[in-house]
Amino acid sequence: MSAGEWAGLIAALALVLLVLLLAVPLLKLGRTLDEATLTIRQTREESRPILTQAQTTIAQVNSNLERVDDITGNAANVSSNVAALTSVVAATVGSPLIKVAAFSYGVRSATRKRREGQAIAEAAARDKAERRARRAARRAA
């Protein structure tokens, strides 16, 4: 065998060795891709029931929210009716009550002033009586 044949044989063996070395990672990569494909398939199959349940739950929540909207609207109507009733009662009863309160305050003030006036008049009468008694005592002395 000549040197060229030996070089060709070495080159062929190196190529076979290179192919074998590259085949191992490629086979492992193929298995990894198969596992990833299987995992994705299982995830998709398991997620369908979850998505179906989520859709059912969302539909129930939406129906409950519609009921809550109705309840909120009714509550708003009731509060506006109560506000209107309050203003009517205040207009109807409020004015006479204010007048009664003002009248009772006036009566209390007048009564207090009358009592104060009587107390002042009584004190003035006592002072006058004391002065007369002193004058009479001076005249008698």
Side-chain angles (χ1 to χ4, degrees):
M1 279 209 246
S2 69
E5 291 176 347
W6 280 105
L9 184 64
I10 291 173
L13 288 175
L15 184 62
V16 168
L17 184 64
L18 180 65
V19 168
L20 288 175
L21 289 175
L22 289 177
V24 172
L26 286 175
L27 288 174
K28 287 182 180 180
L29 180 63
R31 283 189 219 134
T32 303
L33 289 176
D34 290 341
E35 289 293 323
T37 303
L38 182 63
T39 303
I40 290 171
R41 186 177 301 129
Q42 289 173 347
T43 303
R44 184 180 56 204
E45 290 171 358
E46 291 174 3
S47 66
R48 283 183 186 163
I50 293 171
L51 292 175
T52 304
Q53 290 174 355
Q55 287 175 344
T56 304
T57 302
I58 290 172
Q60 290 173 351
V61 167
N62 283 337
S63 67
N64 287 337
L65 283 176
E66 288 174 3
R67 286 189 218 144
V68 169
D69 286 342
D70 292 341
I71 291 169
T72 305
N74 291 337
N77 287 337
V78 167
S79 67
S80 65
N81 290 341
V82 168
L85 181 63
T86 303
S87 64
V88 167
V89 168
T92 304
V93 177
S95 179
L97 284 179
I98 291 171
K99 290 177 182 177
V100 167
F103 178 74
S104 66
Y105 176 75
V107 169
R108 281 191 313 233
S109 296
T111 304
R112 187 183 67 232
K113 287 182 182 178
R114 184 174 179 201
R115 286 182 191 155
E116 289 173 357
Q118 285 177 348
I120 292 172
E122 289 173 2
R126 274 184 299 205
D127 288 345
K128 189 175 182 181
E130 287 175 6
R131 281 190 300 229
R132 284 185 182 169
R134 278 190 241 140
R135 281 187 205 152
R138 277 191 240 150
R139 287 186 192 160

